[in-house]
Amino acid sequence: MTHTSEPASEQTSEQDRDTRGNHRKSAAEMRDHGKDSAARGKGLHRRKFLGGMAGAGIAAVAAAGGAFSLLDDAAKNKAGAADSALVIPDLLEGTTSSGVTTFTLEAKTGTHEVIPGVTSSTMGYNQDFLGPTLKWTNGDEVLLDITNDIGEDTTVHFHGAHVPAKMDGGPQVAFADGTTWSPTFTVKDPATTLWYHPHALGTTAKQAVHGLAGMIIVEDSSDASAALPSDYGVDDVPLIFQSLAVDTGGDIKYDAAGYRLSTTTFPLLLNGTNVDSTTLGFTATKTRTRFRALNASPSDIIVIQRSDGGTLTQISTDQGYLTAATEVTTIRLVAGARAEFVMDLTADATLQAVITTGWIRGGSGTYDVLAVTASGTDTPADLPTTLNTIDRYDTSDFTARTITLSQSGASMEINGAIGTTMAAMAMISTTVGAKEIWTIQNATQLEHSFHLHDVPYQLIAVNGEDPTGVQLGWYDTYEVVGGGSIKIAMEFTDFADDTYMYMLHCHLLQHEDEGMMASLMVTGTSTTDTSDTSDTSDSTDSTATASASASASASASATDDSTATATPSASSTDG
């Protein structure tokens, strides 16, 4: 049973309800506010990270309250001057034959200046760093020929895509250097922004931070899509943000040891260009311009806002359009998350990125990243009053589970299991057609970014509060603050497999590599106890059974671990 939500524009936006303690605070909270506007325009020193704030949890964030000013007076109504043009990633053209469109990618090594004037060893798809944008259309048959030339095993995961488990690009389908993987599937996603990146065990952070990432645009034939800007690179603009770690010699870091080095700095890149002390420029030849923002950082949080304090019109979350265009002042993206927004540009405007440390160390500060020059002379029609219909779940008869994110020393756990191998992971077993409600409980004081493969989910509660505004959209990646929780609901549709699994994990890539990953087996027949399992007090046996049962060739009869709960570590220091 479902009911339909009101349009998001008639609700309070999530960014405007921060005083209620759900940690989705405005950019103000993440600000080094003592710098003048000139310093902001060229970037704050990113090694002055906000010590402890990322893992501070609900109480500390709520206590910070209004201690920070969103924009000082000097920065308001100021559009930064551009130093160089925004680089638009190439749009990869597919070739269509017999109704199948083929895209060819090569994962390769190269070099790139992550720090200006310093050469770094990097990786990319079809190029030295990052990859081209893929454009798919709902209903199309696609084939991807992906060759691995990076010298080690890799995978390519289509983050957010609803595809068969065997085609999802998880660690079970890792392929060796010198070989080609060729997944094929029908595009079932609605219009949305997805992305692709590696997902092999233990090497995801290393490969992604070195540049293996690219955007996917999915189009559809909906009225909303017809009414929105869609000319790629003209009025439909990708923004790929990466807050990375690199030493003064250009070596890109991806693990705890590298992040802790005194020589490590934390540059911010936009579409592959360092913007620490550079404001990129984009000339908007159309009055209404659509921006697709992706946080491809391994761990840091990115908040997007205007330098003049004006609003952005958000139209989409991770998994498609909102019910209606929604005015927000900030858009907060945890690692792996995406959002789309439009701007009606009658005057120049500057977009800022506010960076907050998500892990043991990282970036911080506010940057003028993109100066948009308004040159359009057209008058766009009003946006549609309705972009999408989202039927909100009535979860009264949904199967309940608790998923606990915890820590044991330097290792990360889901439901008590350290998922650094397929055999060691906890397993969630479900069936096609199952409707479930999960409580994602953060038993650590660390920041986590919860990502679910296969299907989108709705937020039912965030730290005990009802979602509002853009939180009523569809997600696949969402923030779980230290000591906090989210409650999510989903329905498993279309794809069943008794061998290949989907994944659920923290999208702080270092946490994923350190074990915060579990497997999800979706089969065509019932293999799981569908009773309410929200009471997780008796967890030891089910955790052990689930961990032992998960393997690369796990059978559909693997024991359900939905009652497994981990014991939080006494230490809150990340590995």
Side-chain angles (χ1 to χ4, degrees):
M1 181 177 179
T2 59
H3 67 277
T4 302
S5 67
E6 296 297 320
S9 58
E10 297 175 10
Q11 314 244 6
T12 303
S13 78
E14 66 174 315
Q15 289 85 356
D16 296 329
R17 64 192 290 269
D18 298 325
T19 57
R20 297 168 65 185
N22 71 347
H23 195 66
R24 296 187 62 80
K25 311 305 285 185
S26 72
E29 201 169 67
M30 312 305 178
R31 174 110 20 166
D32 182 348
H33 57 88
K35 304 296 184 180
D36 61 22
S37 59
R40 276 200 179 93
K42 295 300 180 183
L44 305 181
H45 200 296
R46 293 174 55 77
R47 292 177 66 188
K48 295 182 179 178
F49 61 95
L50 301 181
M53 198 61 167
I58 302 171
V61 172
F68 299 91
S69 169
L70 181 63
L71 288 165
D72 63 22
D73 290 338
K76 290 180 179 178
N77 303 314
K78 173 183 177 291
D83 299 309
S84 59
L86 176 72
V87 175
I88 304 297
D90 291 340
L91 186 64
L92 182 63
E93 297 293 337
T95 59
T96 302
S97 176
S98 301
V100 178
T101 302
T102 300
F103 298 89
T104 301
L105 291 171
E106 178 193 9
K108 56 186 291 186
T109 59
T111 59
H112 186 73
E113 290 189 2
V114 176
I115 298 175
V118 179
T119 299
S120 295
S121 296
T122 57
M123 301 178 187
Y125 296 107
N126 296 2
Q127 56 194 39
D128 285 346
F129 189 72
L130 295 180
T133 297
L134 309 181
K135 185 178 282 191
W136 300 342
T137 300
N138 177 271
D140 280 0
E141 298 281 344
V142 299
L143 168 67
L144 293 103
D145 284 331
I146 309 170
T147 300
N148 177 5
D149 283 325
I150 64 171
E152 61 188 39
D153 289 1
T154 193
T155 76
V156 180
H157 168 52
F158 310 112
H159 183 125
H162 180 49
V163 298
K166 188 176 181 179
M167 310 300 175
D168 185 55
Q172 278 182 285
V173 295
F175 56 108
D177 180 61
T179 64
T180 298
W181 181 54
S182 299
T184 183
F185 47 84
T186 299
V187 178
K188 289 184 173 292
D189 305 286
T192 191
T193 299
L194 311 175
W195 64 301
Y196 60 101
H197 62 78
H199 212 302
L201 286 172
T203 59
T204 298
K206 172 188 174 182
Q207 293 178 8
V209 302
H210 280 85
L212 289 181
M215 186 173 284
I216 302 169
I217 294 173
V218 180
E219 297 182 321
D220 65 17
S221 58
S222 66
D223 291 342
S225 292
L228 289 165
S230 60
D231 190 353
Y232 181 77
V234 177
D235 59 6
D236 189 351
V237 182
L239 301 176
I240 301 174
F241 292 92
Q242 296 168 287
S243 182
L244 300 180
V246 59
D247 68 17
T248 51
D251 187 34
I252 301 172
K253 305 300 181 182
Y254 56 90
D255 59 12
Y259 266 64
R260 288 193 175 108
L261 292 173
S262 62
T263 55
T264 298
T265 60
F266 301 95
L268 174 64
L269 277 65
L270 177 56
N271 290 359
T273 301
N274 184 299
V275 291
D276 278 358
S277 58
T278 297
T279 301
L280 303 179
F282 176 78
T283 298
T285 57
K286 300 289 184 68
T287 299
R288 177 172 296 151
T289 301
R290 176 183 193 169
F291 295 93
R292 300 174 184 266
L294 159 64
N295 184 357
S297 306
S299 53
D300 287 348
I301 302 160
I302 295 177
V303 174
I304 301 167
Q305 63 187 28
R306 289 178 58 139
S307 66
D308 60 5
T311 60
L312 305 170
T313 304
Q314 188 169 344
I315 59 172
S316 181
T317 51
D318 289 339
Q319 282 285 323
Y321 297 134
L322 296 165
T323 55
T326 303
E327 297 299 311
V328 299
T329 54
T330 60
I331 296 174
R332 181 179 176 88
L333 299 176
V334 291
R338 292 89 62 213
E340 298 176 30
F341 61 94
V342 298
M343 299 172 67
D344 284 0
L345 294 156
T346 56
D348 296 351
T350 296
L351 291 177
Q352 293 182 324
V354 184
I355 314 302
T356 309
T357 302
W359 196 37
I360 51 175
R361 290 183 68 195
S364 71
T366 301
Y367 298 82
D368 285 349
V369 293
L370 186 65
V372 183
T373 300
S375 67
T377 58
D378 59 313
T379 302
D382 291 342
L383 287 170
T385 56
T386 299
L387 296 177
N388 195 9
T389 298
I390 299 177
D391 292 328
R392 296 289 296 172
Y393 290 130
D394 175 353
T395 61
S396 57
D397 60 352
F398 279 34
T399 299
R401 303 181 190 264
T402 295
I403 310 294
T404 301
L405 312 178
S406 60
Q407 177 185 14
S408 178
S411 297
M412 296 291 134
E413 302 174 325
I414 291 185
N415 285 359
I418 301 170
T420 52
T421 68
M422 293 300 298
M425 290 178 195
M427 182 193 289
I428 306 298
S429 297
T430 190
T431 58
V432 171
K435 298 179 180 181
E436 305 201 3
I437 180 168
W438 296 2
T439 298
I440 315 300
Q441 180 65 53
N442 187 350
T444 77
Q445 289 302 308
L446 307 174
E447 178 82 17
H448 298 305
S449 174
F450 183 79
H451 175 48
L452 175 65
H453 293 209
D454 185 22
V455 293
Y457 56 75
Q458 293 180 6
L459 294 168
I460 305 302
V462 178
N463 299 319
E465 297 186 8
D466 292 339
T468 63
V470 303
Q471 290 177 320
L472 295 171
W474 290 102
Y475 290 88
D476 59 57
T477 306
Y478 205 80
E479 181 174 22
V480 193
V481 301
S485 67
I486 60 174
K487 190 171 289 187
I488 62 176
M490 74 293 291
E491 179 177 2
F492 294 98
T493 60
D494 297 318
F495 304 121
D497 199 306
D498 61 3
T499 300
Y500 289 93
M501 292 170 279
Y502 298 103
M503 317 307 294
L504 51 130
H505 59 91
C506 178
H507 217 280
L508 273 69
L509 298 182
Q510 294 91 347
H511 285 176
E512 174 186 326
D513 286 345
E514 291 169 347
M516 194 167 279
M517 182 158 62
S519 58
L520 170 67
M521 177 70 80
V522 182
T523 61
T525 57
S526 179
T527 62
T528 179
D529 178 5
T530 58
S531 61
D532 187 321
T533 59
S534 57
D535 180 0
T536 60
S537 56
D538 184 13
S539 63
T540 304
D541 291 344
S542 58
T543 299
T545 302
S547 299
S549 66
S551 69
S553 59
S555 72
S557 61
T559 302
D560 179 29
D561 73 321
S562 59
T563 61
T565 304
T567 302
S569 169
S571 170
S572 62
T573 303
D574 195 349

